[in-house]
Amino acid sequence: MLSIFNSIPTHMDYKGQKLAEQIFQGIILASAVIGFAYGLIIEQFGWTVYIVLGGFAVSCLLTLPPWPMYRQNPLSWQPALPETTGETLQKPQENLKKKKHK
Amino acid sequence: MNTVLSRANSLFAFSLSVMAALTFGCFITTAFKDRRVPVDIRVSRVMLKNVDDFTGPRERSDLGFITFDLSADIKPIFDWNVKQLFLYLSAEYATKSNALNQVVLWDKIVLRGESTKLNLRDMKSKYFFFDDGNGLRANKNITLTLSWNVVPNAGILPLVMGSGHMSVPFPESYETTKSY
């Protein structure tokens, strides 16, 4: 069953991750301030908890799925080099050399 | 923050920290509040018996029966940080063998949302008023006070004594009723 979930793409690019973090921190802090003020006014701490939980649910919805707004700045990868037989022979030797120098 | 689980972890941890800070804020807003309320206690009848007390080593101990009236308005104590109040009526007196005796006669739990005007008439004590020996007979001064324990949502549990007490003397002999 887990293999189905692994195949759904959930990545965001770096600017998208920063945006997502700012969004959920902002929403939860705002709901905390509103909830504290409301609970203080109506004298019930339960409402403070409900409002913060509501803020949590809203930010879950906004930041957990990879919406397109978080994929606006994708990294530009280099094009993949085609592998030739000469390179595959050279690569193990280069790895051995690097290990010795360490 | 690349995967859903990583974002969910970060979000949940942040929410929990914020919730902890809010709970501390709730505690701070009510930590220094004065929780005393005037209380009116009256005693209508007092009776004294001398019976076998099986919980102690003595032969016979004094057993008192008190009928009391209680009225108080405890609404000012309740705020957003109070879950319930534990009220108890205690009798305090001194005898020849013990300098200080305190006995709880009656208690009640008042949840938030229940009626807060206490107006009890002719209440009998819930628990036995046994003395450690025979010190209740002809005791000049037995003081009844109502105290309460405030159970908060967050913070410490203060023990507060109500401002108002009633002192009664006990009868000189057994099996006689004294009315006030």
Side-chain angles (χ1 to χ4, degrees):
Chain A
M1 201 177 80
L2 275 174
S3 56
I4 306 176
F5 291 118
N6 281 341
S7 62
I8 303 174
T10 59
H11 60 270
M12 296 174 175
D13 51 53
Y14 289 126
K15 289 238 183 334
Q17 292 174 20
K18 178 176 167 188
L19 179 64
E21 185 166 345
Q22 285 173 339
I23 284 180
F24 81 68
Q25 282 178 350
I27 290 181
I28 290 187
L29 281 177
S31 65
V33 169
I34 294 175
F36 193 76
Y38 188 61
L40 192 58
I41 289 173
I42 67 168
E43 299 261 308
Q44 282 188 26
F45 190 62
W47 274 97
T48 303
V49 180
Y50 293 147
I51 291 178
V52 172
L53 285 180
F56 174 76
V58 166
S59 45
C60 268
L61 214 58
L62 275 182
T63 61
L64 285 186
W67 300 114
M69 65 175 163
Y70 302 125
R71 291 187 179 171
Q72 301 284 339
N73 301 63
L75 291 171
S76 52
W77 295 103
Q78 297 278 345
L81 291 171
E83 281 194 10
T84 59
T85 47
E87 278 180 326
T88 50
L89 279 177
Q90 277 182 8
K91 269 186 189 171
Q93 286 180 357
E94 281 177 9
N95 286 340
L96 281 174
K97 278 188 195 168
K98 281 180 191 169
K99 280 182 190 171
K100 277 184 194 169
H101 282 300
K102 277 182 186 174
Chain B
M1 298 277 284
N2 204 18
T3 60
V4 172
L5 288 178
S6 162
R7 289 195 288 273
N9 175 33
S10 178
L11 177 61
F12 185 65
F14 186 69
S15 302
L16 227 50
S17 306
V18 164
M19 204 60 238
L22 284 182
T23 308
F24 180 73
C26 177
F27 157 65
I28 278 290
T29 54
T30 59
F32 305 108
K33 197 174 136 173
D34 185 18
R35 301 204 185 259
R36 276 181 305 204
V37 168
V39 168
D40 187 32
I41 310 175
R42 270 178 263 252
V43 175
S44 50
R45 218 165 32 248
V46 168
M47 216 248 288
L48 195 55
K49 276 188 179 181
N50 198 1
V51 295
D52 285 322
D53 183 8
F54 295 108
T55 63
R58 318 212 123 65
E59 290 288 331
R60 292 172 88 91
S61 299
D62 281 353
L63 178 59
F65 295 90
I66 296 188
T67 310
F68 59 91
D69 299 338
L70 192 62
S71 67
D73 183 19
I74 48 177
K75 192 150 197 321
I77 308 177
F78 280 101
D79 53 24
W80 73 329
N81 199 15
V82 173
K83 181 174 170 284
Q84 63 193 21
L85 287 186
F86 178 72
L87 307 158
Y88 60 97
L89 182 78
S90 61
E92 190 172 320
Y93 59 98
T95 62
K96 281 193 280 287
S97 45
N98 304 316
L100 177 64
N101 303 275
Q102 287 171 328
V103 183
V104 173
L105 300 177
W106 172 89
D107 54 32
K108 183 172 172 38
I109 292 182
V110 179
L111 298 170
R112 189 173 50 182
E114 288 180 356
S115 64
T116 52
K117 270 187 144 9
L118 289 176
N119 209 356
L120 308 162
R121 300 261 165 266
D122 282 339
M123 295 287 296
K124 287 197 290 251
S125 62
K126 229 195 231 186
Y127 306 110
F128 287 125
F129 190 176
F130 262 118
D131 181 45
D132 189 23
N134 298 315
L136 282 183
R137 184 161 61 114
N139 198 321
K140 292 279 180 296
N141 198 6
I142 302 213
T143 310
L144 296 173
T145 52
L146 184 72
S147 318
W148 46 86
N149 215 348
V150 180
V151 178
N153 282 325
I156 40 184
L157 284 78
L159 191 61
V160 179
M161 194 158 80
S163 57
H165 59 268
M166 171 81 187
S167 297
V168 287
F170 258 53
E172 315 272 320
S173 51
Y174 295 123
E175 305 277 344
T176 54
T177 310
K178 218 171 173 180
S179 296
Y180 296 100

